[in-house]
Amino acid sequence: MTALEIAVQDPAGAEIARAGGADRVELCSALGATGGLTPTLASVEAAVATGIEVHALVRTRPGGFVYDPAEIAVMAADIVHLVSAGAAGVVVGALHADGSVDRDATAVLTAAARRAGDVQVTFHRALDAAADPVDALQTLADLGVTRVLTSGGAQTAQDGLAVLSALVAADTGVQIMAGGGVRPDIIGALVDVGVDAVHLSAKTMVDDPGSAGPGGGSAVGLETTDPAIVAAARRATLMRRGSRP
């Protein structure tokens, strides 16, 4: 059975995902502008209250995935608070400058999650910046990571089908979740290569009811979760489930 995960930025998005039949959400902030940052504790609590399984992104800043010890310490502390707020999983990722998995940093983050509770750990699309995704996957398996989120190293998951297939074939015990430019119409192709889950933001832009002013950033609208896209993704997953033996 292929799970459906929706990336959301607020409790309203979590409720839309739940109503649309998603299995879980990845909750973050500033998704479009930065690729996602750690959400607030209040937003985690409110998203959990909708009744859907919430996995919280843990990322203190935009940019690359090479972190210093102080940044890792902050993320480890964030994990404890996020799990206390009700998160059923955390989404992390750390690399060395050569593109290999930062084993020590990932071990610290994974250990923080395990100490905080019985939660799942997803290694996010830092995997798509790894020098060797299949080798990285084995390292993550050794570290006890639950799943990876990846486009197969390509701009979109559709373009990364060959690498996604290789990750599935590696059979490390780590779940493979396809994400990156996923639309409902390509979910079937992703399911066909054997991924365990698909991940998409299902977002649309709506008018901002107020002005950002000179200090509010450069946003030209507000990102919101689109119920129609969530529903279409759910239908695509269910249709493919039914077509597989």
Side-chain angles (χ1 to χ4, degrees):
M1 300 288 280
T2 307
L4 175 63
E5 179 178 285
I6 304 296
V8 303
Q9 302 184 80
D10 49 37
E15 172 56 28
I16 290 169
R18 184 204 62 77
D23 296 288
R24 59 178 177 263
V25 296
E26 178 195 81
L27 179 66
C28 64
S29 63
L31 179 58
T34 69
L37 299 174
T38 307
T40 67
L41 296 180
S43 67
V44 173
E45 292 172 342
V48 169
T50 69
I52 196 167
E53 184 176 304
V54 176
H55 293 217
L57 180 64
V58 184
R59 185 173 177 233
T60 56
R61 58 163 174 77
F65 306 108
V66 178
Y67 299 107
D68 63 32
E71 290 175 307
I72 294 298
V74 169
M75 287 191 278
D78 276 337
I79 286 170
V80 174
H81 295 306
L82 292 163
V83 175
S84 296
V90 293
V91 185
V92 303
L95 300 174
H96 290 299
D98 65 0
S100 62
V101 172
D102 186 334
R103 292 184 65 106
D104 291 343
T106 305
V108 168
L109 299 176
T110 302
R114 302 299 185 222
R115 286 196 302 271
D118 183 20
V119 298
Q120 300 175 22
V121 177
T122 299
F123 193 89
H124 56 50
R125 290 189 63 195
L127 188 71
D128 293 327
D132 184 336
V134 176
D135 181 67
L137 184 65
Q138 185 57 62
T139 299
L140 296 172
D142 296 341
L143 290 167
V145 167
T146 310
R147 73 177 58 82
V148 295
L149 170 62
T150 174
S151 64
Q155 189 67 31
T156 70
Q158 186 176 27
D159 295 331
L161 284 174
V163 174
L164 287 169
S165 181
L167 293 170
V168 171
D171 195 22
T172 62
V174 177
Q175 296 175 26
I176 308 302
M177 178 163 60
V182 172
R183 307 183 309 273
D185 62 294
I186 69 168
I187 286 176
L190 298 171
V191 173
D192 283 348
V193 302
V195 299
D196 299 285
V198 293
H199 166 109
L200 65 156
S201 62
K203 67 183 178 183
T204 191
M205 300 294 294
V206 298
D207 292 336
D208 189 336
S211 170
S218 58
V220 294
L222 300 177
E223 296 174 344
T224 186
T225 306
D226 189 326
I229 298 176
V230 175
R234 176 79 290 170
R235 287 194 300 270
T237 306
L238 292 173
M239 286 175 61
R240 218 58 182 195
R241 285 176 181 177
S243 69
R244 296 177 69 184

